[in-house]
Amino acid sequence: EPEVTQTPSHQVTQMGQEVILRCVPISNHLYFYWYRQILGQKVEFLVSFYNNEISEKSEIFDDQFSVERPDGSNFTLKIRSTKLEDSAMYFCASGPRSYGYTFGSGTRLTVV
Amino acid sequence: DAKTTQPTSMDCAEGRAANLPCNHSTISGNEYVYWYRQIHSQGPQYIIHGLKNNETNEMASLIITEDRKSSTLILPHATLRDTAVYYCIVRAYNTDKLIFGTGTRLQVFP
């Protein structure tokens, strides 16, 4: 069964550093998403991306966040200047349509 | 988006049907009911969704009441691998966004 692949599985970064989380969506999928889950808390929507542009974003997704689909196969989330409160599990998701999409297994980001 | 209410936790014996209820009394006509689950700290997994008719797929059945104010997810023969947090989510037609609550923690025991 096709999977959404996220790398790395765990990333540690220093506060203030830039970090890029990488995702390889399922081939031929057109809709892409990032969610995050702070330890012990709810899964939160960050952003949706379709047709090479952001289609929706949450209040969490402020100017320090950006997304990109650089080469037609990867989908990245960049956090420009990480803060301690950015520590969370980040999930990428993709779908051939805008519902029932598939999540990856996540990247655990630890900001120290 | 309409708010959902689910029990915090449920138990189910292996091999028996697991019936997970969800209340969504403020749902509007163009909002869908989605079910996802999250096993341990893995990414959420799509299970099923519906608008007003009952739905069935290889994983589960979704029963939506006629007034659409509540629904039940049915896992017909629960296995130990079905132990997870199950989320009932109401999603408007004009957004892709899923708003996760705290869900129901289902424990399947031998």
Side-chain angles (χ1 to χ4, degrees):
Chain A
E1 188 172 330
E3 292 183 344
V4 174
T5 304
Q6 292 189 243
T7 55
S9 58
H10 190 189
Q11 182 151 358
V12 181
T13 189
Q14 292 218 324
M15 192 168 54
Q17 293 296 305
E18 176 183 285
V19 68
I20 297 176
L21 306 182
R22 303 181 190 279
C23 170
V24 179
I26 296 171
S27 179
N28 297 325
H29 280 190
L30 302 175
Y31 296 82
F32 311 104
Y33 309 87
W34 284 100
Y35 285 74
R36 78 173 187 188
Q37 187 174 30
I38 296 170
L39 187 63
Q41 298 189 24
K42 300 175 187 179
V43 177
E44 301 174 291
F45 169 80
L46 293 178
V47 66
S48 58
F49 189 87
Y50 171 72
N51 203 23
N52 284 321
E53 61 182 24
I54 291 173
S55 46
E56 193 172 359
K57 61 183 181 179
S58 71
E59 293 174 354
I60 302 168
F61 195 88
D62 61 20
D63 291 344
Q64 71 159 344
F65 290 91
S66 62
V67 289
E68 196 177 32
R69 190 153 158 77
D71 56 12
S73 61
N74 293 285
F75 181 51
T76 62
L77 175 70
K78 181 192 290 186
I79 309 175
R80 285 190 186 78
S81 178
T82 51
K83 301 183 282 225
L84 294 176
E85 54 265 38
D86 293 327
S87 294
M89 183 75 91
Y90 287 80
F91 296 109
C92 172
S94 73
R97 61 191 80 81
S98 61
Y99 58 89
Y101 38 87
T102 302
F103 284 79
S105 54
T107 292
R108 180 168 296 284
L109 177 66
T110 302
V111 182
V112 296
Chain B
D1 295 310
K3 182 177 169 55
T4 62
T5 304
Q6 300 178 252
T8 303
S9 63
M10 294 182 65
D11 289 340
C12 179
E14 190 177 20
R16 305 297 295 268
N19 295 279
L20 292 92
C22 178
N23 280 311
H24 31 78
S25 58
T26 60
I27 194 169
S28 58
N30 56 13
E31 290 182 317
Y32 287 76
V33 180
Y34 281 76
W35 284 84
Y36 275 77
R37 72 181 183 182
Q38 189 174 24
I39 297 172
H40 196 48
S41 296
Q42 297 176 24
Q45 179 187 22
Y46 167 77
I47 302 172
I48 200 167
H49 76 282
L51 182 63
K52 53 184 178 182
N53 297 322
N54 297 338
E55 302 287 346
T56 295
N57 63 20
E58 65 278 4
M59 288 183 69
S61 295
L62 173 60
I63 308 297
I64 302 174
T65 57
E66 198 167 332
D67 63 8
R68 302 208 325 122
K69 292 184 177 182
S70 66
S71 61
T72 301
L73 179 75
I74 301 173
L75 308 178
H77 305 287
T79 70
L80 299 178
R81 286 193 297 257
D82 292 322
T83 293
V85 178
Y86 287 77
Y87 300 100
C88 169
I89 299 167
V90 170
R91 200 197 89 169
Y93 76 99
N94 59 351
T95 178
D96 302 355
K97 174 176 65 178
L98 297 171
I99 299 177
F100 289 81
T102 52
T104 296
R105 183 171 298 276
L106 176 68
Q107 179 70 53
V108 180
F109 58 90

